Amino acid sequence: MLLFQVKVLYVRNLRSDVTEDQLREKFEQYGKVERVKKVKDYGFIHFEDRENALQAMELLNGTVHYFIILSVQHLAYCFQYE
């Protein structure tokens, strides 16, 4: 997978009571979200458009959401693709 094609954000530091619907609501402020998957204290936000994903990452990384500082990263920066 090429870096310029990735439209998925990796979000960590989530509280256990934060829901996928709450994450969708937060990230949809920046563009259409196709899918949200939360697993324990992290989640994946799939955007329809890469530019919206990059904007959300830039503006939400380090912000406070439900009393927790979010860490928002481009998925390609978190995992190596072969």
Side-chain angles (χ1 to χ4, degrees):
M1 178 171 285
L2 301 175
L3 179 61
F4 67 85
Q5 295 174 325
V6 179
K7 302 180 284 186
V8 182
L9 297 180
Y10 169 70
V11 184
R12 63 182 180 172
N13 296 344
L14 298 174
R15 285 184 7 181
S16 61
D17 61 342
V18 171
T19 68
E20 289 180 356
D21 288 336
Q22 290 169 324
L23 288 172
R24 179 179 294 276
E25 182 179 319
K26 184 73 171 175
F27 282 86
E28 277 189 336
Q29 297 174 40
Y30 302 95
K32 180 154 175 57
V33 172
E34 295 178 333
R35 180 173 174 231
V36 175
K37 180 64 179 170
K38 180 179 181 265
V39 183
K40 297 183 181 181
D41 64 342
Y42 64 94
F44 301 96
I45 315 297
H46 299 251
F47 276 86
E48 185 176 273
D49 180 66
R50 183 174 185 276
E51 293 305 315
N52 293 336
L54 294 175
Q55 180 184 28
M57 178 179 67
E58 182 179 322
L59 296 174
L60 290 177
N61 187 41
T63 64
V64 177
H65 183 64
Y66 292 98
F67 309 107
I68 299 294
I69 298 175
L70 292 179
S71 175
V72 182
Q73 300 172 342
H74 205 262
L75 184 61
Y77 295 132
C78 303
F79 304 98
Q80 279 189 328
Y81 291 102
E82 295 184 358

